[in-house]
Amino acid sequence: MKKKVFRSRISILLLLFILAAVLLPILLIAPHIDVTTILVLFTILLFFMVLIAAIRYEIEGYALSIKCCGITFGGKIDVRFICLLKRSYNPLSSLAASLKRLAVYQTGKFSGKAALCALISPANEKEFVETLKGLNPSINVIISDKTGWWRFWDWDC
């Protein structure tokens, strides 16, 4: 199978949080700020934006890789052992640039029990799930598509 690459969904809420974390110090120390401090803070902001934009999920053969800036994190997940894809809004640290995530559960090779192995947020979720189901039709998918303006955790671009 040819390699398929999916970029991460990016949450507007996450971008606002990062922007506030950079701009708040500027506003708090505005009278005493110098150009160097502003340049450092905006360099940090740019660094985080590049990291967020560089998150990718690659499926090649039966391997799912989670990458940021070309570096694979957490090893490769064998698609043949994935047993469940489930909607998650868990804010745990993961390589997902959105709060609207997919929890990937994998059957343990030795225990046989399902265990959470990744929290991801592919932008083209439907195609991502179809690709995984094409490789492993026994994956159980539990994804609700509730929408509404009040669901701020779904504010993605």
Side-chain angles (χ1 to χ4, degrees):
M1 177 186 164
K2 186 180 166 188
K3 177 168 72 169
K4 290 188 106 174
V5 180
F6 299 88
R7 72 172 183 83
S8 178
R9 174 187 289 127
I10 298 174
S11 172
I12 294 170
L13 192 63
L14 181 64
L15 293 177
L16 290 174
F17 176 76
I18 292 172
L19 193 61
V22 170
L23 292 180
L24 197 58
I26 292 173
L27 295 174
L28 291 176
I29 59 172
H32 310 291
I33 200 157
D34 61 351
V35 177
T36 307
T37 305
I38 292 174
L39 287 175
V40 167
L41 289 173
F42 279 107
T43 303
I44 292 169
L45 177 66
L46 182 65
F47 174 73
F48 279 113
M49 295 302 176
V50 167
L51 285 180
I52 286 173
I55 298 172
R56 300 282 185 265
Y57 311 110
E58 295 181 1
I59 301 172
E60 188 171 17
Y62 287 100
L64 168 62
S65 302
I66 302 169
K67 295 186 175 190
C68 183
C69 298
I71 301 168
T72 302
F73 288 87
K76 294 184 179 184
I77 299 169
D78 192 335
V79 175
R80 294 173 289 200
F81 291 105
I82 295 175
C83 60
L84 175 65
L85 290 175
K86 185 177 176 182
R87 171 73 65 226
S88 175
Y89 297 98
N90 192 334
L92 284 175
S93 176
S94 68
L95 278 175
S98 173
L99 290 177
K100 186 177 182 180
R101 300 171 173 185
L102 291 178
V104 179
Y105 290 85
Q106 192 173 24
T107 306
K109 296 174 185 173
F110 303 108
S111 68
K113 295 180 181 177
L116 177 65
C117 65
L119 289 170
I120 58 176
S121 61
N124 192 347
E125 195 173 87
K126 188 176 277 189
E127 183 184 348
F128 181 81
V129 170
E130 288 172 1
T131 303
L132 289 180
K133 289 281 285 181
L135 294 170
N136 181 357
S138 66
I139 296 174
N140 187 11
V141 179
I142 304 172
I143 300 174
S144 65
D145 288 325
K146 296 178 184 175
T147 58
W149 63 269
W150 63 89
R151 297 175 61 84
F152 61 86
W153 50 86
D154 289 343
W155 296 351
D156 296 321
C157 50

